[in-house]
Amino acid sequence: MRNLINISHSKAEFGNDLPLSATTWDAATNSVICAFGPTKTSISIRLKRILESAPNNTGPVSQSQDIVSWEAPCPLPDLDCDKILDLHYFPEDLTTCLILAGGDIVVVREEPLPDEDKIEIVGSVDAGITAAAWAPDEELLAITTRADTLLLMTRSYENITAISMTSEDLKASKHVSVGWGKSETQFKGKRAKALRDPTMPERVDEGTPSPFDKGETTISWRGDGAYLAVNSVIQETRRAIRIYSREGTLDSVTEPVDGLEGALSWRPSGNLMAGIQRLEDRIDVVFFERNGLRHGQFSLRLTAEELRMWGSDISLKWNVDSTVLAVCFKDRVQLWTTGNYHWYLKQEISRASDLEDPQGPLFAGWHPERALRLTVASKDAAEVLEYAFDVAKGSTTPPNDSGIVGVIDGKSLKLTPIRLANVPPPMSLHDITLKSNAVDVAFSRSGSQVAVLEGGSVTLSNWNLGKRPVSAPSLQRSFPIIVPDGSHPRQICFLGDSRIFILASSGAKSTAQVLCLDTDEQFLPCDWILQTGVSRLFTSSDHQSICVHSDDRSVSEIKGLDMTSTHQEGSSLSLQQFTKLPLQAPWVEVVHYGDETIAFGLSANGTLYANDRLLLKNCTSFLVTPAHVILTTTQSLLKFVHMNTVQELDVPHDNPEVDERCRSLERGAKLVTVMPTSFSLTLQMPRGNLETIYPRALVLAGIRRSINAKRYHTAFFACRNQRVDMNILHDHAPEQFMANVELFIDQIKKVEHIDLFLSQLREEDVSVSMYKETLQKDDNAMNGQAINGVNGASTAKLAATSSTSKINKICDAFLEVLQNRASTNLQNIITAHVCKSPPDLNAGLLVAAKLRAEDIDAAERAVEHICFLADVNRLYDNALGLYDLDLALLVAQQSQKDPREYIPFLQNLQQMPTLRKQFTIDDHLARYTKALSHLYSLNAFDEILTYMQKHELYKEAIEIYRYQETELNQLMRLYADYLLAHSKFKEAGIAYEYLSDLTAASESYRAAQLWRESLCCATLIPLPASQLQALAHALADTLAESKDHASAAMIHLDYLEDIETAARLYCKGYHFAEAMRLLGLRQRPDLFETIVDAGLAEGLAGMTELLAECKAQLGAQVPRLQELRVKKAEDPRKSHPPLFSLTKATTHSRTPLFSKLESGQQEELTWACFCRPIVSFFDGGGGGGGADIPDNVSLAPTDTSTSAGTFMTRYTSRSNSTLHTTTTRKTSKNRRREERKRARGKKGSVYEEEYLVASIERLIERVNSVGDELARLVEGLLRRCMRERARGVEAAYCHLLALCAACLDDVFGLADDKEAAPTNRAGGASMGADEDPAAAAGPSGVRPGGADGVFWDSLEGAGRRLQRPVIRSFQRSALLGVEVL
């Protein structure tokens, strides 16, 4: 779909007496080396360099410099004069090599060394040379001699091999054709020539040379230099192509082809060789493979007169990237490209003045690095031309975005409006036949005018795109172009619908001409000379201005155009430059965005600029629309950039999975055109076929644009056709939608479409989740300027604090509008009720019930619809719940229920009284509370008691009878018994006490260990003294066992009057001050030594033992934890040998987690779910400096792996349920085993580090908890004159606190890093957000079951942030010295 556009044209004319005979490129300076002579009258050879002119040069286009000239007499007497067969330039050493037909190999040095000659004959072939060619790597020179010998020489011109070319070479290949693609191989039915061998053609070529064959020899190398081909005549009877390897070994010979001529060019990509076959009525370009077999052809489309006049001498030349084949004739050069197995004639460079030139045809030379730059030379001039592949397309601005594309193919212009008829190439919807080969094509803004630039005229056609089917363009008129001699029209563009502008280049000056033509006139009213070189002349994207891209990289607009006048004076026009691109850009688009003019330029190396700002470095093609810049990248991605000011343009990252502005493409795909109106984008694949896609960015932009314009009908059908969640119709502009619900209904109209919208409502706000707006809106944007291509309507979201359900709010709004349209939108009313969250089925059924009284048929249809929307069984229950048996019958008839089941049930209900029927229905529907209320209405208290106990409705029954004392007490008694039976002793005690049953209340409180309440009720009974003391003893013993010594002491003191036991209990609880107060109050100083001092000694011993155990635990666990982390940092494999020894020999010892990982069961456990946490676990969670991750985990499945089974499972004795049951048993067993392993934290296991960290954390909590007890112990010791003991235990505790504080950094991480890198349970840096196990598990994030779940919990716990424990401060006694930690 791409045409060749001439972006650069310069010409150098020579007034020498010697004709130009050869050219070559100097790739280092982009200059052309020209060789002149020799001729029959002059034996001189002259070399000149044509320099590339500066962009602002006002002198000649090309400046020439003489290099050297010398006389070269021909050493062969049978030649009239010598001839340059090959001219090659070596830029690294500034030398030129000339191969002469007389046999001399001449080297010309521009800067010779002192011991070197400027001109040197480095070799000579006595027999003479017929052809020569350098290898692409410039390391080998291939020469064929007049003695039928092939010579291969090195760069230093040393002969390395000489191969004789004889007729025996024809035996090198034995070609067998199987007739691929021939009509003989196609199936034609049983009546076809079944006995004929399809591999044998009807006529066998013998390789007879063409009558126009001059007997020349041609050499061509493959692009990689591994093979070369030699096209020569063998014994004057057959022309064949020999293929040699780089070492000179004959590889193959082409099959015989009649009429084959001497032209030969091997495609640099290496797959084909091109040659010329002359037939009686046409000339074909034929292709050969390296093995010598034919591989297709195409015709040059020459008439008989053209064959006679300028088709007698033809040569071929591929460009460096194999995209363009140059076919050189006597007076013209044609450029051919291919796509979808069709060959297009894209450009023809014609020089009619050279038709009678006796020196031979034009010859072309491609630039070795710039693929589309070439020289076309004749005897007295050389032209340098550069082309670019570009799509001739119509407007991409709605509503004129019909997707018009024009493809040039010689005298045929292929037109296709892709939005209206997506015709794949090489076909097209319409073809326009031209008088001569097309140069360029342009389309008007509306697409109704097609202007084709031909060699000397402009053809204008009318095209009515509004008619269906689209008619063919009709020829309107043809305008001749009047340009000075030497000027060449090369580009054409439209301004609006009536003005045509043509760019013509002058051949002798660095100037360009802009010709203006009004489509209603017969003449050219404007001829404006630009005093600078122009690369492109094009229209802005809105067709409002003409832009010029100059050779100096500037981009300008033509000012002074009068669109209302039919005559335009050239003097009134001027160029206004608005930007200058950093690089020369063959592809430029100009967009007017507000008050800013933006030029998007794509350079040949893939760099995309917006004015002078770099946007992207790997762009392959781009398009612009009013809303987007669309581009493709070398990473095979399609990206959308929201149109904005230059500095605000935001290119999305390469995240096609999460960003609507980026999506993946087939490799090599390029943009053709975009049609925002239909949300479509057309791309061309490398092989030539077209693909039209509907990118989410375009679709959503169009939907948002329609919503903002309140075109809900367009937005709805765009969502429907492109499968976009219809919640966006509300979520994009919720306030606007709620204010225009009636407009929405009026535009949508069809009941089915309204139902579709209502049924897809969800609570999720898709405008911030699924379809998040990627355009950064600017509050200071231009007034009235479109944002994202549309005028910005209010898109404010509803307040986040709103507690109203979005679905219910929309459904209520629809119901409010539809209540007056029940006759036409009854179905929508029912849908609005059913689609609420939760579904309001009762309201929908009531609508049908109300309708049943008016129109039974309509009611049945309504019931049928509601049964379609909801579960019919649930609807049946709701209909029963409405106590409408007729409605329930209608619903039941729409279900799959057996009439023998529901009809007797409904008949039975019909015969019951109203209250009994309602009770029966509610009991049947398990609405027990409501059924209980019906029993209350029936005044059936005994039945209520039974029903309450059966369904445990005690609270409901008590609430009903709260004002009826007798019944309430009876219900409360049953409820108290129920609570006591279910071990809810506290509540049972309160209920019994409410009923004044103090005995039962006391027992219930005792069971709940509420000693105060129990003793209170016992004393109020009152109990006998013996029973009361027994109760007090039992309660005190229970409290003492639970370490509540203070409460036990109070019972002994208040109820048993046992002072000694009470004091001892206070001492056990480290309440020494209370014990001494009690003994002093009761005047028992004799008990101080036996009770208080003994209690102090016992407490001191226990505390000392506890502190010693904690110190020992710290001394053992902290070093072990440090050792584990050091090993893990050095080598994770060695730190956990049991985990990584998971080979096939030890599959029985593998954990189920790794069994699933090995068996690849992603249904239960995704790889990403565990891969990241495992890596984080073994790296300490923070990327431990590149430690190797174990790679020896076996991938063999185990018997603990779960599977859904195969299709054969149904035919075996073990069903799916049996398989899953067995798996469940194994999973449960493995889970319990894994939980025990995790709880033990055995040394060397994967859980050891987690266990150690948790154990140290618990130890610190324990140490903090004994601080108060130790303080009371120290005070007691000092009061009893035990100072040294107090000092010792206090010092031991302070030392333990210091040890705990010192290990915090080692165990839980540095305190300074807690915010920057939160610690995990393993002590390393925590996992990032993207490494969270739940997040890594993907969308499901489901915790696996069994042993895998235990390991999951361990890894998840390791990733959680762990609060650094706080060491409580302890203030030492002032009598022993104060120290605050």
Side-chain angles (χ1 to χ4, degrees):
M1 303 295 284
R2 281 168 166 73
N3 302 321
L4 280 177
I5 304 300
N6 185 202
I7 61 174
S8 176
H9 181 209
S10 62
K11 183 177 182 180
E13 297 181 349
F14 310 106
N16 302 326
D17 54 347
L18 294 175
L20 180 62
S21 55
T23 61
T24 189
W25 281 96
D26 177 5
T29 61
N30 287 324
S31 59
V32 181
I33 308 297
C34 299
F36 300 87
T39 64
K40 295 179 181 180
T41 59
S42 175
I43 61 174
S44 297
I45 298 178
R46 183 181 300 127
L47 291 184
K48 281 189 177 184
R49 179 188 297 272
I50 302 177
L51 301 176
E52 186 177 26
S53 63
N56 293 324
N57 183 23
T58 58
V61 171
S62 302
Q63 299 178 355
S64 62
Q65 294 179 350
D66 289 335
I67 299 176
V68 71
S69 64
W70 73 98
E71 292 185 351
C74 180
L76 298 180
D78 56 339
L79 293 178
D80 294 336
C81 63
D82 218 336
K83 181 181 179 182
I84 300 176
L85 299 177
D86 183 73
L87 178 67
H88 194 83
Y89 185 78
F90 299 95
E92 61 273 11
D93 54 5
L94 303 179
T95 61
T96 305
C97 177
L98 295 89
I99 311 296
L100 304 180
D104 291 338
I105 303 175
V106 182
V107 172
V108 178
R109 302 179 179 90
E110 296 188 45
E111 297 179 1
L113 297 176
D115 58 343
E116 294 178 337
D117 297 327
K118 190 176 184 64
I119 303 172
E120 180 182 358
I121 300 177
V122 295
S124 181
V125 178
D126 296 337
I129 300 175
T130 56
W134 283 92
D137 58 3
E138 299 180 339
E139 294 297 329
L140 285 181
L141 172 62
I143 295 175
T144 57
T145 69
R146 301 179 71 181
D148 291 336
T149 303
L150 173 64
L151 303 179
L152 295 179
M153 295 184 179
T154 64
R155 175 70 178 272
S156 58
Y157 306 100
E158 296 179 358
N159 192 12
I160 58 176
T161 184
I163 305 101
S164 297
M165 297 186 294
T166 65
S167 59
E168 295 297 321
D169 296 341
L170 300 177
K171 302 178 182 179
S173 297
K174 295 182 179 180
H175 306 108
V176 177
S177 175
V178 294
W180 293 120
K182 300 292 185 180
S183 61
E184 294 86 354
T185 62
Q186 309 307 309
F187 177 74
K188 299 179 182 179
K190 62 182 181 179
R191 296 183 182 275
K193 299 179 180 179
L195 300 179
R196 186 177 178 277
D197 187 356
T199 63
M200 296 299 296
E202 296 181 359
R203 180 180 177 277
V204 178
D205 287 354
E206 298 178 356
T208 305
S210 167
F212 292 86
D213 197 332
K214 298 180 180 180
E216 71 272 15
T217 301
T218 310
I219 301 176
S220 183
W221 287 84
R222 199 169 75 171
D224 59 359
Y227 292 91
L228 75 154
V230 179
N231 186 355
S232 62
V233 178
I234 301 175
Q235 295 180 355
E236 299 182 356
T237 59
R238 176 181 170 183
R239 177 173 285 277
I241 302 175
R242 298 177 175 89
I243 294 90
Y244 293 92
S245 68
R246 187 180 180 89
E247 292 75 22
T249 303
L250 180 64
D251 185 75
S252 61
V253 179
T254 58
E255 62 178 283
V257 176
D258 289 345
L260 187 65
E261 295 188 352
L264 176 66
S265 183
W266 200 326
R267 197 173 189 178
S269 60
N271 58 338
L272 295 175
M273 293 175 286
I276 291 294
Q277 181 186 19
R278 188 180 298 271
L279 302 175
E280 295 179 359
D281 56 345
R282 71 178 191 274
I283 297 177
D284 290 347
V285 176
V286 294
F287 298 105
F288 297 92
E289 300 176 9
R290 185 174 65 84
N291 57 14
L293 290 176
R294 284 277 298 271
H295 191 93
Q297 67 281 322
F298 71 91
S299 176
L300 292 178
R301 309 172 193 169
L302 303 181
T303 64
E305 183 179 359
E306 291 171 341
L307 287 173
R308 179 182 58 82
M309 293 182 61
W310 45 268
S312 58
D313 195 354
I314 304 175
S315 62
L316 302 174
K317 192 69 174 179
W318 284 100
N319 71 332
V320 68
D321 66 352
S322 305
T323 56
V324 182
L325 176 64
V327 182
C328 303
F329 298 93
K330 187 174 182 180
D331 67 331
R332 66 198 64 202
V333 175
Q334 293 183 347
L335 303 181
W336 293 76
T337 64
T338 184
N340 262 19
Y341 305 100
H342 178 79
W343 284 88
Y344 299 87
L345 174 56
K346 292 298 184 182
Q347 286 286 340
E348 183 178 78
I349 307 163
S350 177
R351 299 296 174 261
S353 60
D354 293 332
L355 276 174
E356 304 300 330
D357 181 16
Q359 293 294 330
L362 296 178
F363 51 91
W366 290 101
H367 195 287
E369 294 178 358
R370 299 169 67 169
L372 298 178
R373 189 177 179 91
L374 79 158
T375 60
V376 177
S378 60
K379 67 174 184 178
D380 56 0
E383 297 180 60
V384 179
L385 303 101
E386 186 166 8
Y387 292 87
F389 280 110
D390 197 12
V391 178
K393 61 183 182 299
S395 175
T396 59
T397 301
N400 299 316
D401 52 340
S402 299
I404 302 174
V405 177
V407 181
I408 294 175
D409 188 11
K411 297 180 181 180
S412 176
L413 177 64
K414 301 177 179 294
L415 298 176
T416 301
I418 296 179
R419 197 182 89 188
L420 307 177
N422 197 346
V423 181
M427 299 178 290
S428 62
L429 183 63
H430 297 296
D431 288 4
I432 297 180
T433 302
L434 307 172
K435 295 180 180 180
S436 60
N437 293 323
V439 176
D440 196 9
V441 60
F443 303 97
S444 64
R445 175 173 51 194
S446 62
S448 60
Q449 301 277 345
V450 181
V452 183
L453 177 63
E454 302 179 43
S457 63
V458 174
T459 300
L460 187 65
S461 300
N462 291 328
W463 198 7
N464 186 3
L465 295 176
K467 184 180 179 180
R468 296 294 182 274
V470 179
S471 59
S474 59
L475 180 64
Q476 182 177 355
R477 65 174 70 91
S478 181
F479 300 92
I481 303 176
I482 304 174
V483 294
D485 293 339
S487 294
H488 305 283
R490 55 188 176 98
Q491 294 179 24
I492 188 172
C493 63
F494 252 103
L495 178 61
D497 284 326
S498 59
R499 288 283 177 90
I500 298 174
F501 285 79
I502 300 170
L503 175 65
S505 295
S506 174
K509 298 181 180 180
S510 180
T511 60
Q513 298 168 296
V514 176
L515 307 167
C516 180
L517 169 66
D518 195 288
T519 57
D520 296 330
E521 299 293 332
Q522 297 279 345
F523 57 89
L524 298 175
C526 176
D527 186 357
W528 180 40
I529 304 299
L530 299 178
Q531 298 299 324
T532 181
V534 176
S535 172
R536 293 296 299 269
L537 180 73
F538 57 96
T539 312
S540 61
S541 63
D542 55 3
H543 278 253
Q544 296 297 322
S545 63
I546 294 293
C547 303
V548 171
H549 181 38
S550 303
D551 292 340
D552 61 355
R553 307 191 308 278
S554 64
V555 183
S556 310
E557 283 186 322
I558 299 179
K559 296 297 183 179
L561 292 171
D562 186 0
M563 297 300 295
T564 62
S565 175
T566 59
H567 185 77
Q568 184 76 54
E569 294 293 339
S571 60
S572 65
L573 303 181
S574 63
L575 275 182
Q576 180 178 339
Q577 177 180 332
F578 62 87
T579 189
K580 188 172 184 178
L581 300 176
L583 293 176
Q584 189 68 24
W587 304 275
V588 184
E589 294 277 359
V590 171
V591 177
H592 297 106
Y593 185 78
D595 297 332
E596 186 174 11
T597 302
I598 309 173
F600 295 94
L602 176 61
S603 66
N605 62 0
T607 307
L608 181 64
Y609 291 94
N611 288 352
D612 57 351
R613 181 195 169 195
L614 174 64
L615 290 183
L616 202 64
K617 289 186 176 181
N618 58 347
C619 181
T620 57
S621 63
F622 79 99
L623 292 171
V624 295
T625 70
H628 296 98
V629 182
I630 310 170
L631 52 93
T632 56
T633 69
T634 54
Q635 279 77 26
S636 302
L637 294 175
L638 174 67
K639 294 187 177 183
F640 290 81
V641 180
H642 291 294
M643 191 63 69
N644 212 324
T645 60
V646 172
Q647 299 304 322
E648 297 297 328
L649 291 171
D650 181 25
V651 180
H653 297 290
D654 298 348
N655 296 321
E657 297 84 3
V658 298
D659 196 337
E660 70 179 32
R661 299 173 297 167
C662 183
R663 63 167 289 171
S664 299
L665 293 175
E666 182 180 337
R667 179 178 297 178
K670 290 187 178 182
L671 297 169
V672 175
T673 188
V674 59
M675 294 143 285
T677 300
S678 60
F679 323 123
S680 58
L681 180 70
T682 302
L683 303 104
Q684 188 169 28
M685 303 301 113
R687 56 187 173 273
N689 63 302
L690 298 182
E691 288 189 9
T692 299
I693 61 175
Y694 296 82
R696 271 289 182 259
L698 276 183
V699 173
L700 294 177
I703 292 173
R704 294 181 183 120
R705 183 167 58 246
S706 300
I707 294 174
N708 291 337
K710 299 181 182 179
R711 297 194 302 267
Y712 289 108
H713 179 273
T714 304
F716 173 84
F717 281 98
C719 293
R720 183 170 178 257
N721 296 335
Q722 302 301 327
R723 302 183 67 83
V724 175
D725 195 315
M726 290 189 182
N727 283 270
I728 195 175
L729 297 175
H730 166 271
D731 296 342
H732 178 66
E735 292 181 348
Q736 173 186 298
F737 181 88
M738 297 305 297
N740 293 276
V741 171
E742 186 172 3
L743 175 63
F744 179 89
I745 296 174
D746 292 337
Q747 290 185 3
I748 302 302
K749 294 181 181 179
K750 292 192 68 173
V751 174
E752 295 79 4
H753 294 161
I754 298 175
D755 278 353
L756 179 62
F757 169 75
L758 292 173
S759 63
Q760 292 193 4
L761 290 176
R762 292 186 292 130
E763 295 292 349
E764 177 187 0
D765 187 351
V766 298
S767 65
V768 297
S769 57
M770 186 183 302
Y771 306 127
K772 183 178 181 181
E773 174 62 84
T774 53
L775 173 63
Q776 302 296 327
K777 295 182 175 62
D778 186 4
D779 295 336
N780 300 322
M782 297 71 66
N783 293 331
Q785 173 62 33
I787 296 178
N788 198 17
V790 298
N791 290 326
S794 173
T795 57
K797 301 294 185 290
L798 294 179
T801 57
S802 176
S803 59
T804 306
S805 167
K806 181 188 85 172
I807 298 176
N808 294 344
K809 180 184 61 179
I810 296 174
C811 291
D812 289 340
F814 271 76
L815 290 172
E816 182 179 355
V817 175
L818 295 174
Q819 63 182 355
N820 297 325
R821 307 184 184 187
S823 59
T824 57
N825 295 84
L826 177 64
Q827 181 174 314
N828 298 143
I829 295 175
I830 295 175
T831 303
H833 285 301
V834 176
C835 289
K836 286 187 176 182
S837 178
D840 192 356
L841 300 179
N842 289 344
L845 290 170
L846 288 174
V847 172
K850 180 179 179 182
L851 188 64
R852 182 169 50 85
E854 302 173 358
D855 187 350
I856 187 62
D857 294 334
E860 290 181 356
R861 290 194 300 269
V863 170
E864 183 179 355
H865 178 65
I866 197 173
C867 290
F868 170 76
L869 295 175
D871 181 16
V872 67
N873 295 318
R874 185 179 175 188
L875 284 171
Y876 175 73
D877 293 342
N878 280 78
L880 281 177
L882 295 174
Y883 313 120
D884 190 337
L885 300 184
D886 294 334
L887 181 63
L889 179 61
L890 283 176
V891 174
Q893 290 174 346
Q894 298 293 330
S895 69
Q896 301 296 323
K897 293 179 177 292
D898 188 352
R900 292 176 296 181
E901 295 179 1
Y902 65 81
I903 289 181
F905 175 71
L906 294 177
Q907 290 175 344
N908 187 29
L909 291 175
Q910 189 70 31
Q911 299 172 1
M912 294 181 181
T914 301
L915 289 177
R916 179 58 63 179
K917 176 179 64 177
Q918 292 176 353
F919 165 76
T920 305
I921 290 176
D922 289 330
D923 181 63
H924 172 75
L925 298 178
R927 299 191 300 193
Y928 302 122
T929 302
K930 201 169 184 180
L932 189 68
S933 65
H934 294 312
L935 289 177
Y936 176 75
S937 300
L938 289 170
N939 197 21
F941 183 71
D942 294 337
E943 192 174 353
I944 286 177
L945 294 179
T946 305
Y947 196 77
M948 177 191 70
Q949 295 179 71
K950 177 180 180 181
H951 298 292
E952 299 179 359
L953 300 174
Y954 299 97
K955 296 180 182 179
E956 292 79 0
I958 290 173
E959 181 65 21
I960 293 175
Y961 286 95
R962 61 186 180 277
Y963 300 122
Q964 302 178 26
E965 187 67 24
T966 305
E967 290 82 359
L968 178 62
N969 290 338
Q970 190 173 352
L971 295 174
M972 186 67 74
R973 171 71 62 179
L974 294 175
Y975 189 31
D977 294 342
Y978 169 81
L979 292 173
L980 183 64
H982 287 78
S983 301
K984 297 181 179 180
F985 301 112
K986 179 180 177 180
E987 292 80 0
I990 295 174
Y992 283 124
E993 193 170 2
Y994 174 83
L995 296 171
S996 300
D997 190 350
L998 299 178
T999 302
S1002 177
E1003 292 299 325
S1004 298
Y1005 286 137
R1006 176 183 176 183
Q1009 296 187 4
L1010 299 175
W1011 64 274
R1012 291 181 178 87
E1013 291 82 353
S1014 180
L1015 290 173
C1016 175
C1017 291
T1019 54
L1020 292 176
I1021 293 176
L1023 284 178
S1026 59
Q1027 295 182 12
L1028 183 62
Q1029 290 183 358
L1031 176 62
H1033 271 294
L1035 290 171
D1037 293 342
T1038 302
L1039 292 172
E1041 290 177 359
S1042 61
K1043 305 298 182 182
D1044 189 359
H1045 297 99
S1047 298
M1050 291 178 64
I1051 293 176
H1052 278 281
L1053 182 64
D1054 295 339
Y1055 291 93
L1056 301 177
E1057 298 182 357
D1058 189 349
I1059 299 175
E1060 296 184 11
T1061 304
R1064 287 190 178 90
L1065 288 172
Y1066 277 128
C1067 291
K1068 285 186 178 182
Y1070 288 88
H1071 299 286
F1072 300 104
E1074 185 66 23
M1076 287 186 279
R1077 184 196 69 79
L1078 176 63
L1079 295 178
L1081 178 65
R1082 299 302 177 93
Q1083 300 294 322
R1084 296 295 302 269
D1086 57 307
L1087 298 178
F1088 272 79
E1089 292 185 2
T1090 58
I1091 296 179
V1092 176
D1093 292 349
L1096 287 170
E1098 182 181 355
L1100 176 64
M1103 185 64 67
T1104 303
E1105 182 180 0
L1106 172 64
L1107 297 179
E1109 290 178 356
C1110 292
K1111 181 179 179 181
Q1113 181 178 344
L1114 279 178
Q1117 290 183 342
V1118 173
R1120 174 58 181 170
L1121 186 61
Q1122 295 173 340
E1123 179 186 358
L1124 286 176
R1125 289 175 177 167
V1126 169
K1127 289 182 178 180
K1128 181 170 58 181
E1130 294 174 351
D1131 188 356
R1133 306 186 188 200
K1134 295 181 180 179
S1135 63
H1136 297 285
L1139 178 63
F1140 293 109
S1141 59
L1142 302 178
T1143 60
K1144 291 185 177 180
T1146 60
T1147 54
H1148 63 279
S1149 63
R1150 288 177 292 182
T1151 63
L1153 167 68
F1154 285 97
S1155 298
K1156 286 191 174 63
L1157 287 177
E1158 295 161 9
S1159 60
Q1161 293 184 21
Q1162 299 180 359
E1163 298 85 5
E1164 294 184 13
L1165 188 62
T1166 61
W1167 175 260
C1169 177
F1170 284 100
C1171 184
R1172 291 177 178 173
I1174 291 172
V1175 173
S1176 177
F1177 182 84
F1178 291 112
D1179 283 347
D1188 293 334
I1189 302 302
D1191 57 358
N1192 59 346
V1193 179
S1194 172
L1195 297 180
T1198 66
D1199 55 356
T1200 60
S1201 302
T1202 60
S1203 174
T1206 67
F1207 72 97
M1208 291 298 294
T1209 306
R1210 71 186 68 176
Y1211 303 113
T1212 63
S1213 58
R1214 299 181 63 190
S1215 64
N1216 283 335
S1217 60
T1218 306
L1219 288 173
H1220 291 307
T1221 302
T1222 304
T1223 302
T1224 302
R1225 294 194 195 104
K1226 291 183 178 180
T1227 301
S1228 177
K1229 181 179 180 181
N1230 292 333
R1231 176 181 54 79
R1232 292 193 297 270
R1233 181 188 303 158
E1234 200 72 16
E1235 287 174 348
R1236 291 193 296 268
K1237 289 172 61 178
R1238 183 185 182 188
R1240 289 196 301 267
K1242 184 178 179 181
K1243 184 176 181 180
S1245 68
V1246 294
Y1247 302 114
E1248 181 184 5
E1249 188 173 1
E1250 177 193 18
Y1251 173 81
L1252 292 176
V1253 173
S1255 177
I1256 295 173
E1257 183 181 8
R1258 291 192 299 268
L1259 182 145
I1260 293 174
E1261 293 174 357
R1262 176 61 177 152
V1263 171
N1264 285 333
S1265 66
V1266 300
D1268 294 338
E1269 296 179 357
L1270 186 131
R1272 296 196 297 268
L1273 175 63
V1274 170
E1275 291 175 0
L1277 290 172
L1278 287 175
R1279 290 179 64 183
R1280 298 299 297 161
C1281 303
M1282 302 179 187
R1283 177 182 175 84
E1284 294 303 322
R1285 296 182 182 181
R1287 177 184 293 275
V1289 70
E1290 185 182 63
Y1293 183 71
C1294 292
H1295 179 62
L1296 181 60
L1297 287 178
L1299 291 178
C1300 292
C1303 75
L1304 287 179
D1305 292 342
D1306 294 334
V1307 178
F1308 301 98
L1310 297 177
D1312 295 339
D1313 298 337
K1314 184 168 68 173
E1315 295 299 328
T1319 56
N1320 57 26
R1321 300 191 72 90
S1326 70
M1327 295 180 292
D1330 59 339
E1331 294 176 341
D1332 182 68
S1340 60
V1342 179
R1343 177 188 179 276
D1348 299 341
V1350 178
F1351 192 45
W1352 168 285
D1353 294 339
S1354 175
L1355 295 176
E1356 192 177 38
R1360 290 198 191 102
R1361 176 180 298 184
L1362 183 64
Q1363 293 292 336
R1364 183 186 177 97
V1366 178
I1367 306 297
R1368 290 183 56 185
S1369 63
F1370 177 76
Q1371 187 171 0
R1372 304 181 67 171
S1373 174
L1375 299 176
L1376 300 176
V1378 179
E1379 180 180 358
V1380 180
L1381 297 180

